[in-house]
Amino acid sequence: MTIHPMISALRRHKAGVVLIALQIALTLAIVCNAVFIIGQRIQRVNRPTGLDEQNLFLVSQQWVGAPAGDDPASIQKLDALLREDLAALRAMPDVASVTPTNSLPLLNSSWNGSVSLHADANLIGGNARTTYYFGDENFVRTLGLHLVAGRDFNAGDVTNKGFRDPSEPTVVIVTKALADKLFPKGDAVGKVVYLDGSGTPSTIIGVVERLQVPATGSWVSDFAWNATIAPVRLNANFARYAVRTKPGRLQAAMKAVTSTLYKVDPLRVLDDDSVKSFADIRTQAYRADVGMAALMGVICLILLGVTAAGIVGLTSFWVGQRHRQIGVRRALGARKADILQYFQMENLLIAGLGAAVGIALAVGLNLLLMKYYEMDRMPVLYVLAGVVLVLALGQGAVFAPARRASNVPPVVATRAA
Amino acid sequence: MFGYYLDLAVRSFRRNRVLTALMVLALALGIGATITTLTILRLLSGDPLPQKSAQLFYPQLDPSPMDGYVAGQTKPPAIMTWPDAMNLLRAHRARYQAAMAPLQARIVPQRANQPPYFADGVMTTADFFPMFDVPFQYGGGWTAGDDDSHAAVAVISGALNQRLFGGENSVGKTLRIEDHDFRIIGVLKPWSPQPMFYSVAQSGRNYGDGTSIFLPLQTARANLMSPSGDIECYAAITDIQHLETAPCEWLAVWVQLDTPAAVADYKRFLDGYVHQQIALGRLKRPDNSLLSLMGVLREQQVVPDDVRLQVYLAFGFLLICVVNTVGLLLAKCLRRSGEIGVRRALGATRRAVFAQFMVEAGIVGMAGGVLGLVFAELGLWAIRHQPAQYASLAHLDIGMFAFTFVVALTASLIAGLLPAWRACLLAPAPQLKAS
């Protein structure tokens, strides 16, 4: 098939050709970027926290009328309340393991600071930023973290302190990301670090593979995997407990936990929001991302539908207009397949033109978004996949009108126009 | 003539039902998406206090040490230390000035069987109420004297009054907050500026039901209530409990300045204050700023990037729908070349043919607008069922309702231009001959 007659035929329909090509170009540009954004969001939502997330839930509660925790005596009173709760939770039949904690990954409530290799460093000028988790000897086990070097905390490591006490722990476990940042040779275990510009050393006794920080905002992106775990029960008039249940007993344990804690001490704030499975925490943290991805997905689908409908509409019109010419070609010996092929080729030509413009638009839009928003460079693969998609869309859309054209009988040529 | 064009348009739609439905549907989807996203953008970027926002200003200064300082490139932090806030308040250089910090107040109901719960609160100073035009149902705010004497008084919202006292006048009654008794001296009428600008720099909660409890700052602090918002420290801390002396920022200060001259005066005063404090050795960095209310909202980026992206996406979508409509209208109108030829031969002018096709495009636009409104309502309904803070506020107002039709009509008339132009240029003779 020669392209030349096709091009001269299209010259007579400049407006229609330009409109279809423009629509394909715009669709390509928007769909490529939207799919890229969807991909990024899905990647973000699916990154593992480092936790074994199944069978895990969190209780946040507050005592009413508890001491303020300003003097040693009242801190010990608060610690007694905390240990009573822990004992009651551990005694529950469905519970496998419990740790007090200040937060969990994705909870968006965090205690952040910096780690330095030298004593008395400037607070802002530490060697690495980190988030802090405070738990007891069950922390690593309850959260299901993987210890890759050194040892876990034992009961002898665990101390307790008031919420506002600035003293630092003597031993800590850090994540591999933080350990590698501080000690690139991979020999972090046994080394000494200084937390938050403090003058007292803390020794790294273990390294866990992965543990995400509680915050999910973009402001933590440069230290999202830097966590330091301190073997400390924090004492305040509120407390959080992470609870790992026996397999399959999550719902039962979550249901029973409120009455168990009320039995220990009825004077506490423990409402609907207080008991949350980790699955719920994850859903809540990423709700906006999932919503954005879903919206983008729906709009992409509708866009493709609208563009396909536009191609069907315009091509149908062309087929109607060229009814007689098609008859003449058929009468002169063109097979049905030739007519079908003609319209398919014609659409490929127009869609190709649109796709060429669309590639430039897609890359331009990506650059624009990179300039004003937090966006990465779009890999070429997305654009290429987009080109294939719009070309296939064009071929699919043109098929029905082209079939109708190929069914025009040769006898049409003999009838008066 | 218009009636005749309408009639012709309806006939033409009847002839090409699928094509017409397709055009209207595409346009409606584009308009629905645009109006939904624009409503949200407008909601989020709205002015929380339209009658007052031009007179409200937000001083900022920087107490950090010199390390890491780059002249002209380091912005002062969004919040302030206690000494700076108190110095600005006591200087009385503005018509009104107040310092404030958000608070999670644990309320213990007096009635039996009601468990204690948390209410969103603000600890602030006396000028808060007159400065922000806060409307009272019963009673009123406290005085500067109450601030200084650490009076145990509280102002509560109408909603909290409803919940605790069944809506009756509760002025004079006692409220137990965080294990301390407070005497209620004022109950507000419904008041919840969106976004909650007065604590926007300290807490992530910018939209929602509003604050339900207001306590005098110094009384709350004397009872050791901690702010629930950000606390930023610029040096190692030994005692976070006594925030008044800690090297930490945690207060927002707002001032009311009525005239441009007053604003300029206050900026000079702020410069002078910072230089005086540098001379005293308390402050190190000279940077300070005095932003307007809307300026603060921009600086704090209360409108999430995602919302803007969605608006752009919707407009891109609408653009494609318009291009699509141009194509389909063009196909439709060229198919009617014969009819146009007859009309022209019978004496219709080019202008008349042009007008006829524009009317047809306009009708497609109006139909698209009506259907688009349905889609927009659907979209907003979906957003109201999202857990976003602003979800319950997502409603179509009269302005957006009218704007929908402006968008629909503009889009369709732009889409109609090319086909109508092509139609009116057709020469009548060849068309008549061909058919």
Side-chain angles (χ1 to χ4, degrees):
Chain A
M1 180 178 291
T2 45
I3 302 289
H4 180 69
M6 207 176 285
I7 291 177
S8 49
L10 285 179
R11 279 219 179 111
R12 302 192 43 182
H13 299 281
K14 278 196 205 91
V17 171
V18 168
L19 286 173
I20 293 188
L22 185 63
Q23 203 175 343
I24 284 180
L26 288 171
T27 305
L28 178 64
I30 291 182
V31 169
C32 274
N33 280 283
V35 169
F36 178 56
I37 292 175
I38 296 174
Q40 282 198 317
R41 297 297 163 108
I42 290 176
Q43 214 174 18
R44 200 175 115 80
V45 170
N46 284 342
R47 56 190 179 165
T49 52
L51 268 54
D52 179 6
E53 298 178 7
Q54 282 191 336
N55 303 316
L56 187 64
F57 73 93
L58 181 73
V59 183
S60 313
Q61 66 91 42
Q62 177 159 18
W63 289 284
V64 177
D70 299 323
D71 53 286
S74 76
I75 288 175
Q76 291 322 313
K77 247 181 237 166
L78 285 170
D79 197 49
L81 287 173
L82 182 81
R83 275 179 296 158
E84 245 184 300
D85 278 1
L86 288 173
L89 290 172
R90 282 173 185 144
M92 287 172 68
D94 294 324
V95 166
S97 167
V98 183
T99 178
T101 183
N102 59 317
S103 191
L104 281 183
L106 311 186
L107 196 64
N108 275 317
S109 148
S110 57
W111 182 322
N112 304 312
S114 65
V115 186
S116 174
L117 298 175
H118 309 285
D120 296 315
N122 183 312
L123 182 64
I124 303 159
N127 290 72
R129 296 195 69 183
T130 181
T131 197
Y132 294 109
Y133 287 102
F134 298 86
D136 64 10
E137 70 274 18
N138 293 306
F139 187 88
V140 171
R141 194 156 65 89
T142 307
L143 266 53
L145 307 178
H146 293 288
L147 202 67
V148 290
R151 66 169 178 88
D152 194 355
F153 296 131
N154 57 41
D157 296 325
V158 181
T159 56
N160 74 299
K161 68 170 191 177
F163 186 65
R164 301 187 177 96
D165 180 347
S167 69
E168 302 296 350
T170 52
V171 293
V172 292
I173 290 177
V174 297
T175 56
K176 188 159 185 311
L178 181 57
D180 289 347
K181 172 116 208 281
L182 293 169
F183 304 99
K185 285 185 204 145
D187 52 352
V189 175
K191 291 282 165 43
V192 160
V193 291
Y194 298 85
L195 308 177
D196 287 352
S198 139
T200 52
S202 308
T203 307
I204 297 175
I205 58 161
V207 177
V208 290
E209 192 179 12
R210 191 178 176 97
L211 176 60
Q212 196 175 346
V213 302
T216 54
S218 55
W219 60 280
V220 295
S221 53
D222 57 337
F223 68 103
W225 310 105
N226 294 2
T228 303
I229 311 165
V232 174
R233 287 190 303 271
L234 277 188
N235 298 126
N237 61 353
F238 59 90
R240 287 195 177 117
Y241 310 114
V243 183
R244 170 165 304 283
T245 67
K246 290 173 182 157
R249 303 301 299 161
L250 182 72
Q251 294 305 325
M254 280 175 68
K255 209 173 273 174
V257 78
T258 315
S259 55
T260 304
L261 287 177
Y262 272 132
K263 219 174 283 167
V264 178
D265 183 354
L267 275 181
R268 57 173 101 224
V269 184
L270 191 62
D271 52 26
D272 305 340
D273 263 3
S274 300
V275 184
K276 264 187 208 157
S277 69
F278 194 82
D280 283 346
I281 294 173
R282 169 173 275 282
T283 312
Q284 226 159 28
Y286 288 133
R287 201 162 253 166
D289 291 293
V290 171
M292 184 75 177
L295 183 83
M296 291 260 177
V298 169
I299 288 200
C300 282
L301 283 180
I302 298 179
L303 260 186
L304 292 176
V306 166
T307 303
I311 294 174
V312 172
L314 265 187
T315 317
S316 298
F317 165 67
W318 280 339
V319 169
Q321 217 182 23
R322 300 182 202 165
H323 213 65
R324 186 147 181 273
Q325 286 95 316
I326 297 166
V328 170
R329 276 204 65 195
R330 292 278 280 125
L332 290 176
R335 291 163 302 158
K336 279 188 174 188
D338 293 328
I339 305 292
L340 191 72
Q341 220 174 25
Y342 176 87
F343 279 99
Q344 299 277 24
M345 265 318 273
E346 186 186 71
N347 180 270
L348 195 64
L349 214 62
I350 301 175
L353 181 72
V357 179
I359 291 172
L361 280 182
V363 173
L365 188 59
N366 178 234
L367 290 178
L368 207 65
L369 290 176
M370 272 168 58
K371 191 171 166 197
Y372 293 104
Y373 298 97
E374 285 167 43
M375 194 84 63
D376 296 331
R377 184 178 294 279
M378 179 165 53
V380 186
L381 196 67
Y382 279 87
V383 188
L384 291 182
V387 169
V388 172
L389 180 73
V390 292
L391 292 184
L393 182 80
Q395 291 299 300
V398 87
F399 184 72
R403 261 286 289 280
R404 213 165 336 117
S406 71
N407 284 336
V408 171
V411 72
V412 167
T414 63
R415 293 192 188 134
Chain B
M1 228 34 211
F2 187 73
Y4 176 57
Y5 295 155
L6 274 183
D7 184 46
L8 280 180
V10 171
R11 279 163 195 275
S12 120
F13 293 149
R14 283 221 184 107
R15 229 172 301 142
N16 297 304
R17 275 170 214 221
V18 179
L19 212 59
T20 309
L22 211 66
M23 274 191 292
V24 171
L25 189 67
L27 209 54
L29 283 169
I31 287 167
T34 312
I35 295 299
T36 307
T37 52
L38 271 182
T39 304
I40 299 299
L41 181 66
R42 230 167 69 108
L43 164 72
L44 295 189
S45 53
D47 187 336
L49 277 189
Q51 78 282 13
K52 204 67 186 275
S53 60
Q55 285 128 275
L56 296 177
F57 290 85
Y58 190 72
Q60 285 168 273
L61 45 85
D62 196 344
S64 315
M66 271 322 225
D67 319 355
Y69 178 70
V70 186
Q73 283 189 25
T74 326
K75 279 189 186 162
I79 40 181
M80 223 179 260
T81 61
W82 173 273
D84 288 322
M86 287 303 131
N87 287 341
L88 292 189
L89 250 52
R90 293 204 181 102
H92 285 289
R93 289 305 184 94
R95 171 110 183 268
Y96 292 121
Q97 44 256 306
M100 59 211 72
L103 162 82
Q104 283 275 308
R106 195 180 65 224
I107 295 183
V108 186
Q110 311 294 61
R111 277 185 243 162
N113 303 331
Q114 277 195 323
Y117 68 98
F118 286 102
D120 287 325
V122 163
M123 39 178 148
T124 182
T125 53
D127 281 358
F128 183 94
F129 302 100
M131 178 160 62
F132 296 149
D133 286 347
V134 183
F136 280 90
Q137 174 95 42
Y138 306 114
W142 59 83
T143 63
D146 291 332
D147 274 329
D148 292 336
S149 66
H150 299 193
V153 294
V155 168
I156 62 174
S157 70
L160 186 64
N161 190 46
Q162 188 68 40
R163 176 168 181 171
L164 292 176
F165 303 104
E168 64 185 78
N169 185 350
S170 58
V171 170
K173 295 203 171 155
T174 302
L175 188 60
R176 197 159 175 81
I177 307 163
E178 302 270 344
D179 308 321
H180 300 283
D181 282 334
F182 285 82
R183 184 168 49 87
I184 297 172
I185 57 163
V187 177
L188 301 189
K189 289 183 181 157
W191 185 73
S192 60
Q194 308 287 341
M196 241 179 276
F197 65 94
Y198 47 85
S199 56
V200 72
Q202 293 145 310
S203 70
R205 290 195 73 248
N206 300 331
Y207 300 87
D209 297 337
T211 305
S212 46
I213 196 148
F214 303 80
L215 300 180
L217 176 63
Q218 301 189 42
T219 317
R221 289 299 303 156
N223 289 327
L224 292 175
M225 295 182 189
S226 308
S228 62
D230 272 3
I231 302 175
E232 300 254 348
C233 301
Y234 51 85
I237 36 170
T238 49
D239 180 7
I240 189 126
Q241 174 128 32
H242 294 100
L243 280 172
E244 285 72 6
T245 50
C248 299
E249 301 129 25
W250 55 284
L251 283 161
V253 172
W254 285 93
V255 298
Q256 178 176 339
L257 303 165
D258 292 331
T259 61
V263 177
D265 271 353
Y266 199 89
K267 181 72 176 90
R268 264 195 299 280
F269 156 69
L270 202 58
D271 283 334
Y273 170 75
V274 169
H275 282 111
Q276 175 214 355
Q277 293 293 316
I278 289 174
L280 288 174
R282 241 202 81 236
L283 295 185
K284 302 284 185 279
R285 303 183 178 191
D287 308 64
N288 64 77
S289 72
L290 187 64
L291 288 173
S292 65
L293 196 162
M294 294 313 277
V296 172
L297 296 186
R298 266 193 301 280
E299 181 88 4
Q300 290 294 321
Q301 299 186 321
V302 287
V303 181
D305 279 355
D306 272 6
V307 171
R308 284 188 205 284
L309 273 181
Q310 283 163 5
V311 173
Y312 298 146
L313 180 70
F315 268 104
F317 184 23
L318 182 62
L319 180 65
I320 291 182
C321 291
V322 168
V323 172
N324 184 59
T325 311
V326 178
L328 296 181
L329 275 177
L330 189 67
K332 249 184 76 168
C333 108
L334 291 183
R335 196 180 278 183
R336 287 154 64 194
S337 305
E339 174 198 324
I340 298 165
V342 172
R343 282 203 64 213
R344 293 273 282 123
L346 290 178
T349 58
R350 290 205 157 141
R351 191 187 292 258
V353 172
F354 186 81
Q356 179 202 334
F357 279 89
M358 288 308 273
V359 167
E360 207 175 306
I363 293 172
V364 170
M366 292 313 275
V370 172
L371 195 59
L373 265 185
V374 176
F375 285 136
E377 282 292 358
L378 266 176
L380 290 173
W381 175 85
I383 283 168
R384 280 198 293 279
H385 287 77
Q386 293 281 310
Q389 291 166 16
Y390 52 81
S392 60
L393 305 167
H395 285 280
L396 208 60
D397 59 11
I398 293 289
M400 284 316 271
F401 187 85
F403 187 65
T404 308
F405 287 98
V406 174
V407 172
L409 213 56
T410 316
S412 64
L413 290 183
I414 289 175
L417 273 179
L418 177 73
W421 180 247
R422 291 287 292 268
C424 79
L425 282 189
L426 280 178
Q431 303 304 329
L432 287 177
K433 237 194 315 190
S435 54

